[in-house]
Amino acid sequence: MRQCMKFFPLLALVFISLTGTATVKAATGLNPPVKLVWHYYKVTNTCDDAEAYIRHQVEKFYRSDTSIAPKLLRLLYSDCMVNGCDASVLLQGPNSERTAPQNRGLGGFVIIDKIKQVLESRCPGVVSCADILNLATRDAGHMAGAPSYPVFTGRRDGGALTADAVDLPSPSISVEESLAYFNSKGLDVLDMTTLLGAHSMGKTHCSHIVNRLYNFKNTGKPDPTMNSTLVSQLQYLCPPRTQKGQTDPLVYLNPDSGSSNRFSSSYYSRVLSHNAVLGVDQQLLYNDDSKEISQEFASSFEDFRKSFALAMSRMGSINVLTGKAGEIRRDCRVTNANYGA
């Protein structure tokens, strides 16, 4: 870990001191063993300008569509949290990972495919789709206001998973269930509370929140922890689901930022005032540690940004393939065995 910290000062964060007398211990670096390298493509002299090529393409997309920031954040989360950061979510197929119900509405695939085409024309067979996804997400997030942190690289791409392998949890789970899920991936309460802060941007389908609006825990009433004004606003946008085939509108996860798609700490202020849209977000109030972290981040955007850099790096190191494991795909949508088929 000391060697890692020498290159990445942000990983020296040991804990965040919170208001009051309590402290919440946090991880000090990437999950061991750290197999990735900072500026891997420069170090190996295989594609010196890979990161610059990626950033240039992301900038072009971002200028015309700022929503690529939340789309790529969700895409990376959906990849890393299922089978590790191996770009398996990018693979196409009738029963592929991306077709799982939990992945409905995933976006950002076109961006990754375009970047891969550019890199294949300049450095064929060198830069993995998994690294592209991690780097592009960092760059898009930075353009939206998130920190620009060093992304360790050298990942290789994994094989296909089926839709039923996707274990992403429901957005209505309790904080205990959410923490257990993050713990199962090697992440802690600070990682969980920080990564959920990505919900300061993006949208969700009404079907993910109608239970909170109309029939919370089969009571026939809204979630009593939800601000009544927010309930009214969302009920207007999300009618009860009473018919098969009914449309499923999208609503902003953070009405404060809305269409601006700006990365901010207002998410935590909304959690503290019972104005979180998703149930899993509001649940952060019902764990002492996640509540104190939320209070700290609501009062200090800089603390949130520093913690976000660390949490994204830790998530990006989950079960990575390196060395001779996996492959470097020629096309992010298919494995090499199926390339050109």
Side-chain angles (χ1 to χ4, degrees), residues 102-116:
Q102 301 96 313
N103 284 332
R104 184 166 68 102
L106 276 185
F109 297 103
V110 172
I111 303 164
I112 304 302
D113 291 339
K114 174 60 178 177
I115 294 171
K116 181 61 174 174

Side-chain angles (χ1 to χ4, degrees), residues 31 36 72-90 97 103 106 129-131 133-135 137 149 155 161 167-168 181-182 184-187 195 311-320:
N31 293 331
L36 304 175
L72 287 175
L73 280 165
R74 184 186 170 198
L75 187 59
L76 180 63
Y77 170 85
S78 296
D79 183 47
C80 293
M81 297 295 278
V82 173
N83 194 48
C85 300
D86 64 355
S88 57
V89 75
L90 304 179
E97 185 179 340
N103 284 332
L106 276 185
C129 300
D131 277 345
L133 179 54
N134 273 268
L135 289 162
T137 301
Y149 49 91
R155 298 169 187 80
L161 291 179
D167 65 346
L168 295 171
Y181 177 75
F182 276 82
S184 74
K185 308 300 179 179
L187 302 177
L195 291 171
M312 290 294 289
S313 294
R314 282 170 51 75
M315 184 178 74
S317 71
I318 297 175
N319 293 339
V320 294

Side-chain angles (χ1 to χ4, degrees), residues 268-287:
Y268 297 101
S269 299
R270 294 188 67 87
V271 168
L272 295 173
S273 61
H274 295 271
N275 277 290
V277 172
L278 290 179
V280 67
D281 295 335
Q282 195 59 70
Q283 281 286 309
L284 292 178
L285 276 186
Y286 305 109
N287 171 277

Side-chain angles (χ1 to χ4, degrees), residues 33 49 58 122 126 159 194 211 231 263 318:
D49 295 322
V58 172
R122 289 164 168 77
V126 171
T194 302
N211 62 320
V231 170
F263 182 88
I318 297 175

Side-chain angles (χ1 to χ4, degrees), residues 317-331:
S317 71
I318 297 175
N319 293 339
V320 294
L321 301 174
T322 58
K324 295 183 179 180
E327 64 182 13
I328 304 297
R329 284 185 218 142
R330 300 176 191 175
D331 184 327

Side-chain angles (χ1 to χ4, degrees), residues 116-144:
K116 181 61 174 174
Q117 291 171 8
V118 170
L119 287 169
E120 283 297 299
S121 70
R122 289 164 168 77
C123 312
V126 171
V127 185
S128 69
C129 300
D131 277 345
I132 292 171
L133 179 54
N134 273 268
L135 289 162
T137 301
R138 184 271 311 272
D139 292 340
H142 180 53
M143 292 169 200

